[in-house]
Amino acid sequence: KSIQYGLEYADWDIVTIQQASGSSGVPETYNNLQNIVDYVRVTLNNPDLKIYWHMTWAYQANSNHAEFPRYDKNQMTMYNAILNTVKEQILTNYPIDGVIPNGTAIQTLRTSYLGDTITRDGYHLSYDIGRYTAALMWYKTFWGADLTDLTVVPQKYPTLTQHLPAIKE
């Protein structure tokens, strides 16, 4: 479907945008972003509209993604490039209302006992821990949720309960 279709589908209060993961840490790939932001604002014509940036995550250290060589196949190089691009490019040059810092959430989770196991193929988040972590980051970003007392996990993934302390951290 087209961006226009998605925008006209409902009366959105929040729209999120992101760069393709392989280009997320490459500032020169953002040349058309202002046009996209303008298009969203004009199409929706909602004075209360908020546009958020979804920060992607670095690939798993042993990823075979075709774009990983852009970052010398180094996870920390990719993460730092994404982080710096968000800070120096997105937040300073575009009218973005906030950032969903999933890239940082995933990178931080990798420092836990879970290690570098948050993806299912080296770049897409795992269905359980990876996606749940990202979902909680969206929840926290949009609603300011305090995750301290959170105990709810999807019924399909009951083992997430044992990983909640690491995920919430």
Side-chain angles (χ1 to χ4, degrees):
K1 301 288 181 179
S2 68
I3 292 174
Q4 181 177 351
Y5 173 86
L7 293 174
E8 293 174 351
Y9 181 79
D11 293 327
W12 303 109
D13 295 323
I14 297 172
V15 170
T16 67
I17 55 179
Q18 71 177 60
Q19 175 59 290
S21 63
S23 298
S24 289
V26 183
E28 56 270 16
T29 65
Y30 290 84
N31 295 335
N32 201 33
L33 184 55
Q34 186 62 56
N35 292 334
I36 293 169
V37 170
D38 292 345
Y39 179 78
V40 169
R41 291 201 184 278
V42 168
T43 301
L44 291 179
N45 194 27
N46 175 353
D48 299 321
L49 175 69
K50 302 287 185 205
I51 297 179
Y52 280 77
W53 183 260
H54 176 234
M55 177 188 178
T56 60
W57 47 90
Y59 299 149
Q60 191 166 305
N62 64 351
S63 177
N64 62 1
H65 193 284
E67 296 292 326
F68 203 26
R70 275 184 144 160
Y71 307 96
D72 299 323
K73 292 190 145 204
N74 183 294
Q75 183 183 88
M76 284 308 296
T77 298
M78 185 175 187
Y79 170 69
N80 286 322
I82 293 169
L83 183 63
N84 290 334
T85 299
V86 169
K87 289 192 311 192
E88 298 167 9
Q89 183 77 14
I90 303 304
L91 293 176
T92 60
N93 295 316
Y94 300 100
I96 300 295
D97 295 293
V99 173
I100 308 157
N102 275 323
T104 297
I106 295 302
Q107 199 62 36
T108 301
L109 187 56
R110 287 173 167 149
T111 66
S112 76
Y113 67 91
L114 292 165
D116 197 12
T117 62
I118 315 303
T119 66
R120 62 184 187 271
D121 58 5
Y123 41 96
H124 291 110
L125 293 178
S126 62
Y127 292 113
D128 54 359
I129 296 169
R131 284 187 174 181
Y132 188 65
T133 301
L136 289 180
M137 197 76 264
W138 285 63
Y139 180 51
K140 185 170 180 58
T141 299
F142 293 132
W143 290 279
D146 178 1
L147 305 177
T148 305
D149 297 325
L150 178 77
T151 59
V152 177
V153 299
Q155 288 180 341
K156 187 173 182 177
Y157 303 109
T159 59
L160 281 173
T161 303
Q162 68 188 358
H163 303 298
L164 273 177
I167 292 169
K168 289 192 276 187
E169 184 180 323

